[in-house]
């Protein structure tokens, strides 16, 4: 609707103010320089106390491990997210729900489909998992009531489930989710669409590249691989067709040459000791796109961008913690500074 | 003469074990660092104890045997797929040198991954083959099919560490045996020269 900026604050003003406040607490370059100089994980905990994280590790038993730090970081982010979700109206609440999906997708999907192989399941679903005898029962017991069921319609059938199919199903679900999210954002229109769509297009293209590169040397066939590429990116349709035919890294790089931003990303990456990996370059580009969301006001992308930037911050802190814990400080500066 | 030879063997074995230990340490740190990198791109919970069952069949066995001279010999044996050929040149209990080279030959042939229909009927190896499960699952597949390169690098580093550890352990036992030999020879030498000295005095 016209002049939507005038009406935005009625429903969403508090939350936009809140998320911008949270954004100001994201660790800066100076904070990272402090963290990098820590000698032990206890030092790291001390330095994190002076940031927005505060004493979130105060009640943890020593010795501190990297996985505990990771859990606590995620917990803090989840608390903030839940607060925002609880205060939100449509359409923001719908967007926030969509944003929560990726992490929800992998756990239940994996549990459902790998029951025959007795993986150790996620604790809350333990009882349901023990009762159900087949994946179909699991689906009926757990997933059919969740919003994930819509995505399962396309690809679930009673097929022979092995690791290949689990991987295919997991990626097909993610593709369906991403395309649905993209459609939703374009339907919102306005500044939200202008800022969200480039981010989601990049996500789709990045998944296409990573799936292609990781599938070299595995039993995934080219046709199956092509079915996993999301269609909402810049690579659709030509780039995806070429990627489906690629056999090695050089051919993937050749496909990227046709797209200026991706050409730059591939140029900076390499597998020599001093270079950044391609995935690092993708993360960097993602951070750049997400930062752009904060330049506009009265739109919903700030929420998505905030969550993504917070995830990257968690990754950074966990990376620094791993380098400290393993006493392997050579690559400790490989984190991606955000602000 | 004999004592000189055993001293030389002792020293070279010590140097060799130091070198192997250094290599093993480097490989271990590389392996764990690759896992940290894989966790960075995949997520910490995607590469953790949640991905594997709490009980499982091992893929690599350590076979111990005692050689002449009392030294223990440890060999790593990897479970083969039923369709892969189990080599006939199994390591025999001849001597430390030959077993080490035999082990190296065996590793090379395993890595070439020759697939043949028939199995070797060598009795020692057959018992191992009978205990094979019908499906051999690569532990890499616990984390999915499309795993980043870092995880594959970590797996190969850890595989090398396993075989190296067995070699180091057998070398260690050989060193202890050589040391005992040396000490025995030193004692003999002392006893020989002492009566001669007594003769001179008298």
């Amino acid at each position: 609707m016209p002049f939507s900026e005038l009406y935005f604050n009625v429903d969403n003003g508090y939350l936009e103010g809140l998320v911008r406040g949270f954004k100001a607490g994201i660790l800066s370059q100076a904070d990272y320089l402090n963290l990098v100089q820590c000698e032990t994980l206890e030092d790291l905990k001390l330095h994190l106390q002076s940031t927005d994280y505060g004493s979130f590790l105060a009640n943890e038993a020593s010795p501190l491990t990297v996985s505990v730090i990771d859990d606590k970081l995620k917990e803090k982010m989840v608390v903030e997210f839940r607060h925002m979700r609880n205060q939100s109206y449509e359409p923001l609440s719908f967007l926030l729900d969509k944003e929560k999906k990726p992490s929800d997708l992998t756990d239940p999907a994996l549990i459902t489909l790998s029951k025959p192989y007795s993986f150790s399941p996620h604790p809350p679903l333990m009882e349901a998992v023990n009762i159900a005898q087949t994946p179909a029962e699991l689906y009926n017991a757990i997933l059919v009531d969740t919003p994930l069921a819509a995505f399962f319609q396309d690809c679930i059938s009673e097929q022979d489930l092995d690791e290949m199919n689990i991987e295919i199903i997991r990626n097909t679900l993610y593709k369906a989710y991403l395309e649905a999210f993209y459609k939703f954002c374009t339907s919102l229109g306005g500044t939200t669409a202008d800022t969200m769509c480039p981010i989601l297009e990049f996500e789709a293209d990045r998944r296409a590249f990573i799936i292609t590169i990781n599938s070299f040397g595995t039993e995934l066939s080219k046709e199956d691989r092509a079915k996993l590429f999301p269609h909402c990116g810049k690579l659709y349709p030509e780039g995806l067709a070429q990627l489906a035919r690629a056999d090695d890294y050089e051919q993937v790089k050749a496909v990227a040459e046709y797209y200026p931003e991706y050409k730059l990303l591939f140029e900076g990456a390499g597998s020599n000791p001093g270079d950044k990996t391609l995935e690092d370059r993708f993360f960097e580009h993602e951070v750049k796109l997400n930062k752009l969301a904060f330049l506009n006001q009265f739109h919903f992308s700030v929420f998505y961008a905030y969550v993504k930037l917070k995830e990257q911050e968690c990754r950074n802190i966990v990376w620094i913690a791993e380098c400290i814990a393993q006493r392997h400080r050579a690559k400790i500066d490989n984190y991606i500074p955000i602000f | 003469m004999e004592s000189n030879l055993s001293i030389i063997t002792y020293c070279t074995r010590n140097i060799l074990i130091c070198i192997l230990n250094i290599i093993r340490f480097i490989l271990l740190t590389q392996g764990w660092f690759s896992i940290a990198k894989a966790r960075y791109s995949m997520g910490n919970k995607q590469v953790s104890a949640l991905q594997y069952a709490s009980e499982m069949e091992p893929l690599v066995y350590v076979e111990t045997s005692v050689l002449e001279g009392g030294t223990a010999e440890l060999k790593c044996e990897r479970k083969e797929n039923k369709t892969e050929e189990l080599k006939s040149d199994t390591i025999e209990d001849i001597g430390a040198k030959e077993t080490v080279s035999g082990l190296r030959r065996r590793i090379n042939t395993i890595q070439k991954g020759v697939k043949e229909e028939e199995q070797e009927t060598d009795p020692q190896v057959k018992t191992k083959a009978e205990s094979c499960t019908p499906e051999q699952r690569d532990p890499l597949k616990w984390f999915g099919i499309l795993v980043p390169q870092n995880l594959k690098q970590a797996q190969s580093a850890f595989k090398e560490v396993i075989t190296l550890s067995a070699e180091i352990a057998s070398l260690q036992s050989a060193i202890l045996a050589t040391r005992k030999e040396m000490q025995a020879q030193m004692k003999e030498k002392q006893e020989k020269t002492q009566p001669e000295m007594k003769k001179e005095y008298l």
Side-chain angles (χ1 to χ4, degrees):
Chain A
M1 72 181 151
F3 300 114
S4 56
E5 296 89 1
L6 290 178
Y7 305 99
F8 185 85
N9 276 345
V10 177
D11 287 338
N12 307 303
Y14 164 64
L15 285 174
E16 182 172 354
L18 194 64
V19 87
R20 284 185 186 267
F22 284 148
K23 168 223 172 202
I26 290 184
L27 298 185
S28 65
Q29 180 69 310
D31 293 317
Y32 283 122
L33 288 174
N34 272 338
L35 292 181
V36 159
Q37 285 165 4
C38 293
E39 292 292 321
T40 67
L41 293 182
E42 295 298 327
D43 271 348
L44 194 82
K45 175 172 137 177
L46 213 65
H47 277 107
L48 283 176
Q49 276 178 355
S50 60
T51 65
D52 245 28
Y53 281 105
S55 31
F56 74 117
L57 287 172
N59 298 328
E60 290 310 307
S62 66
L64 211 52
T65 62
V66 178
S67 61
V68 162
I69 295 181
D70 180 60
D71 286 339
K72 283 294 180 191
L73 287 170
K74 294 253 158 69
E75 215 181 276
K76 186 152 197 296
M77 186 168 79
V78 163
V79 162
E80 288 171 0
F81 183 85
R82 276 220 188 99
H83 177 77
M84 290 197 289
R85 173 63 187 87
N86 289 339
Q87 303 284 334
S88 59
Y89 287 87
E90 292 284 351
L92 178 58
S93 52
F94 195 64
L95 186 137
L96 291 177
D97 280 339
K98 282 250 185 248
E99 204 175 341
K100 209 172 41 148
K101 285 240 176 53
S103 50
D104 287 350
L105 268 177
T106 44
D107 277 340
L110 194 54
I111 297 166
T112 314
L113 305 169
S114 55
K115 180 75 189 346
Y117 299 99
S118 62
F119 278 34
S120 66
H122 197 257
L125 296 172
M126 200 70 170
E127 295 91 37
V129 166
N130 282 334
I131 297 168
Q133 294 300 319
T134 69
E137 278 184 41
L138 266 177
Y139 172 74
N140 284 331
I142 307 171
L143 289 169
V144 78
D145 293 326
T146 68
L148 290 174
F151 298 123
F152 269 86
Q153 305 291 358
D154 297 325
C155 44
I156 286 281
S157 63
E158 292 283 348
Q159 41 184 336
D160 187 24
L161 295 166
D162 59 12
E163 286 104 351
M164 180 63 76
N165 286 33
I166 293 176
E167 190 74 36
I168 290 180
I169 288 173
R170 199 193 328 199
N171 283 302
T172 319
L173 281 175
Y174 193 86
K175 168 188 155 148
Y177 150 78
L178 200 60
E179 288 174 357
F181 198 5
Y182 186 80
K183 223 165 85 169
F184 170 69
C185 288
T186 40
S187 72
L188 283 179
T191 333
T192 309
D194 288 339
T195 37
M196 277 305 289
C197 291
I199 298 175
L200 293 178
E201 282 164 14
F202 174 68
E203 182 66 28
D205 293 337
R206 170 217 229 172
R207 272 198 79 81
F209 282 126
I210 298 280
I211 287 174
T212 314
I213 293 175
N214 285 346
S215 67
F216 296 144
T218 66
E219 298 126 19
L220 191 68
S221 70
K222 290 188 181 173
E223 299 80 33
D224 284 334
R225 187 208 295 171
K227 288 191 219 151
L228 302 178
F229 296 150
H231 287 208
C232 50
K234 293 204 180 76
L235 286 176
Y236 174 76
E238 261 314 305
L240 290 184
Q242 287 183 11
L243 272 184
R245 293 192 292 263
D247 278 318
D248 59 34
Y249 182 78
E250 289 306 321
Q251 289 183 10
V252 173
K253 200 166 166 182
V255 173
E257 303 277 306
Y258 291 111
Y259 303 88
E261 322 83 35
Y262 303 144
K263 180 173 170 192
L264 276 174
L265 294 179
F266 272 80
E267 265 169 26
S271 40
N272 303 326
D275 289 344
K276 295 195 180 239
T277 64
L278 186 63
E279 300 201 353
D280 282 341
R281 300 281 286 157
F282 282 149
F283 280 130
E284 257 177 35
H285 191 76
E286 186 191 11
V287 164
K288 206 167 75 167
L289 287 177
N290 280 315
K291 270 159 59 170
L292 291 177
F294 288 97
L295 295 178
N296 277 323
Q297 221 180 338
F298 307 127
H299 63 104
F300 299 118
S301 325
V302 280
F303 300 95
Y304 180 85
Y306 170 70
V307 172
K308 285 292 165 185
L309 291 178
K310 217 47 187 172
E311 272 177 15
Q312 181 60 42
E313 184 180 275
C314 286
R315 254 181 253 132
N316 285 343
I317 296 178
V318 168
W319 174 255
I320 294 174
E322 282 272 18
C323 288
I324 292 174
Q326 293 188 14
R327 283 185 268 273
H328 199 147
R329 309 182 75 95
K331 297 242 172 167
I332 200 171
D333 295 319
N334 268 19
Y335 61 88
I336 295 169
I338 301 174
F339 288 116
Chain B
M1 263 321 268
E2 280 177 359
S3 58
N4 287 344
L5 192 60
S6 42
I7 290 175
I8 292 173
T9 334
Y10 183 68
C11 291
T12 43
R13 284 196 174 144
N14 266 324
I15 293 172
L16 191 59
I17 210 178
C18 286
I19 294 173
L20 289 181
N21 266 321
I22 291 173
I23 297 175
R24 191 177 72 117
F25 177 76
I26 292 175
L27 280 174
L28 264 180
T29 39
Q30 269 178 5
W32 280 111
F33 201 61
S34 300
I35 292 216
K37 282 195 241 178
R39 284 193 175 135
Y40 183 79
S41 36
M42 288 170 73
N44 265 47
K45 292 291 165 283
Q46 305 304 111
V47 185
S48 67
L50 293 171
Q51 264 68 39
Y52 52 82
S54 43
E55 289 164 12
M56 55 181 102
E57 284 282 314
L59 281 179
V60 182
Y61 289 92
V62 175
E63 207 183 295
T64 56
S65 49
V66 181
L67 303 175
E68 77 227 12
T71 60
E73 192 61 44
L74 292 113
K75 284 157 270 174
C76 272
E77 217 177 83
R78 202 164 269 276
K79 251 199 223 166
E80 303 288 337
N81 272 328
K82 269 204 168 150
T83 53
E84 281 194 21
E85 181 190 0
L86 292 159
K87 283 299 174 185
S88 58
D89 47 356
T90 50
I91 298 146
E92 289 168 11
D93 301 336
I94 301 170
K97 243 196 270 173
E98 275 147 303
T99 35
V100 168
S101 58
L103 185 63
R104 290 219 172 87
R105 257 186 293 130
R106 198 162 200 273
I107 292 171
N108 285 335
T109 50
I110 288 170
Q111 284 174 345
K112 276 181 202 151
V114 175
K115 285 182 168 73
E116 286 189 12
E117 296 306 309
E118 297 154 44
Q119 269 184 352
E120 289 299 310
T121 50
D122 188 302
Q124 181 194 20
V125 180
K126 195 175 184 188
T127 47
K128 287 264 181 282
E130 276 165 11
S131 61
C132 270
T133 51
E135 33 164 287
Q136 292 300 327
R137 288 167 59 207
D138 184 5
L140 193 68
K141 303 233 170 111
W142 293 340
F143 307 105
I145 302 288
L146 300 170
V147 289
Q149 286 304 317
N150 293 316
L151 221 50
K152 298 181 184 160
Q153 286 165 1
Q155 188 188 36
S156 52
F158 289 139
K159 272 188 186 162
E160 291 256 355
V161 165
I162 292 175
T163 43
L164 258 180
S165 303
E167 271 183 44
I168 290 176
S170 4
L171 203 55
Q172 191 136 357
S173 144
I175 285 180
L176 288 172
T178 319
R179 187 195 290 181
K180 262 195 220 157
E181 215 179 287
M182 250 174 51
Q183 284 169 345
Q185 282 167 358
M186 285 300 212
K187 220 176 171 185
E188 245 181 69
K189 203 176 182 182
Q190 276 178 355
E191 282 167 10
K192 261 196 213 160
T193 52
Q194 264 186 356
E196 283 175 9
M197 276 167 63
K198 280 190 187 152
K199 260 198 205 164
E200 280 181 19
Y201 275 128
L202 296 173

